Amino acid sequence: MSETISELPARGGSMAVTAPPPDAERKGLTKKELAADHPTWCPGCGDFSVLALYFKLIEKRKLWHEKVTTIAGIGCSSRFPYFVQAHGAHYIHGRALAFASGVSLSRPDLHVFVFGGDGDAFSIGGNHFNHTARKNIKMTYVVMDNWVYGLTKKQTSPTSPLGFKSKTDQWGAVDHPINPMKQAIAAGATFVARTTHTNPNHVLQMMEAAMDHDGFSFVECLSECVEFYEGAFDASNPRKGGVFNAVPADHDVTDELAAYKLANEPFPGYFGLFYKVTKATKNAKEAEINQAAMEKTKGLKDWQILQKSFDRMK
């Protein structure tokens, strides 16, 4: 195809319309081109780190605006779509994965990223989390876990530890917290990883690996809420006297039981890729169903297809 499509007439003269260069020749986006509204998180929030690394990932992989989709639910971390200059949606509380499933299944050419917090993902959105994982719908889900409801000013979340005092548990939390990693593995996620905002290089590595996975990829990222749960993750931060335990080099990521055992370690636990297997995605299965249906009506006109449907009702 010639670079110059045609000479189109315009008022007062003519105008040359030039086709965009092919993908291989396009210049990658810069952070300035990716950034939208200024983030409104509290100073020191761990979510800043995740956003910066998301920009870095898009820059590194040359994901142009029309090829990346950012979706989130409700919560501090779920404000992500406001801060990214790309297609996306700030959806309703707990339903981000349901919306993202529709995007992924209808537009397999897009990279679908979903961002959320522990409340959005595991409380009101817990049911959607389980079913999206078991169906293995292709997308990357990054959950910024801070062990507290921060946007609504300190309530106990599904991952808050026992004894945590909040506005909803002034005497200290008595409900046993869920373990996101164990839940993801048990639900059927085909990629399960864990990281922390205090190790930027590791966050980027996990997000890259998750994006490359053909299936539902889940990344739990510890993200400290400095306003309502300061110091929650000090035990995992070497700069604050903690320890960053990388997943052992000899760990078999295809061994579900081994991954479950790693996930069961007491805090701070391990960081890295816990589980990864290859399994047919719902995207691929749906494509096969659609193709089979289209084969049955191949060569028929619209009214003939409609008639066949009516005939089956007789």
Side-chain angles (χ1 to χ4, degrees):
M1 178 179 177
S2 173
E3 188 168 299
T4 298
I5 296 178
S6 62
E7 295 290 330
L8 296 179
R11 293 180 181 178
S14 62
M15 178 180 65
V17 178
T18 303
D23 286 352
E25 299 176 12
R26 291 178 66 179
K27 182 182 177 182
L29 297 171
T30 64
K31 180 180 178 180
K32 185 177 181 180
E33 294 169 319
L34 288 168
D37 290 348
H38 182 74
T40 54
W41 296 312
C42 301
C45 176
D47 295 356
F48 280 104
S49 177
V50 181
L51 177 63
L53 293 163
Y54 184 49
F55 287 153
K56 194 167 185 177
L57 174 64
I58 295 174
E59 286 181 286
K60 185 176 181 180
R61 293 302 186 90
K62 290 188 175 182
L63 302 179
W64 299 289
H65 286 129
E66 73 274 16
K67 289 297 182 181
V68 61
T69 304
T70 309
I71 298 170
I74 298 295
C76 290
S77 55
S78 293
R79 299 183 68 82
F80 242 72
Y82 289 133
F83 312 139
V84 182
Q85 190 68 270
H87 297 290
H90 187 206
Y91 206 52
I92 56 179
H93 203 189
R95 314 299 186 229
L97 290 179
F99 185 88
S101 294
V103 175
S104 178
L105 292 171
S106 61
R107 288 293 301 276
D109 59 310
L110 298 179
H111 297 275
V112 180
F113 291 90
V114 188
F115 293 91
D118 39 305
D120 191 61
F122 309 124
S123 186
I124 189 170
N127 190 45
H128 291 296
F129 178 75
N130 287 332
H131 292 295
T132 308
R134 76 176 179 87
K135 292 177 181 179
N136 197 29
I137 301 173
K138 184 173 173 58
M139 68 179 73
T140 296
Y141 191 26
V142 180
V143 174
M144 285 158 275
D145 189 357
N146 53 25
W147 291 1
V148 64
Y149 281 103
L151 186 65
T152 48
K153 312 299 185 286
K154 196 177 183 179
Q155 290 84 26
T156 302
S157 90
T159 55
S160 297
L162 292 171
F164 176 65
K165 294 183 179 181
S166 71
K167 292 177 180 178
T168 49
D169 288 287
Q170 298 177 19
W171 45 85
V174 295
D175 297 324
H176 193 79
I178 68 162
N179 183 317
M181 302 298 284
K182 289 167 64 175
Q183 182 167 333
I185 296 167
T190 52
F191 180 105
V192 181
R194 185 168 180 258
T195 187
T196 173
H197 80 97
T198 56
N199 192 329
N201 290 333
H202 192 263
V203 174
L204 182 59
Q205 290 172 16
M206 293 300 100
M207 288 179 67
E208 275 201 272
M211 189 190 83
D212 289 337
H213 180 66
D214 187 21
F216 180 73
S217 53
F218 168 69
V219 180
E220 180 196 20
C221 180
L222 300 184
S223 182
E224 184 178 348
C225 176
V226 294
E227 186 68 28
F228 298 112
Y229 204 161
E230 186 177 9
F233 307 129
D234 284 358
S236 65
N237 187 353
R239 292 191 294 274
K240 293 187 176 181
V243 59
F244 180 87
N245 297 314
V247 169
D250 60 351
H251 171 63
D252 181 2
V253 297
T254 65
D255 188 332
E256 184 175 346
L257 181 58
Y260 203 81
K261 287 181 178 179
L262 275 183
N264 206 40
E265 288 292 320
F267 192 81
Y270 290 91
F271 297 92
L273 181 58
F274 282 50
Y275 187 60
K276 180 183 178 182
V277 292
T278 301
K279 188 185 298 183
T281 64
K282 183 171 179 63
N283 305 64
K285 293 176 181 178
E286 289 284 342
E288 291 177 1
I289 293 172
N290 292 340
Q291 185 59 38
M294 292 177 68
E295 285 295 326
K296 293 179 180 179
T297 58
K298 192 174 183 180
L300 297 178
K301 295 181 179 180
D302 292 347
W303 70 267
Q304 292 174 314
I305 297 174
L306 187 60
Q307 185 62 59
K308 287 173 67 73
S309 298
F310 286 148
D311 292 341
R312 284 197 295 271
M313 297 179 189
K314 295 180 180 178

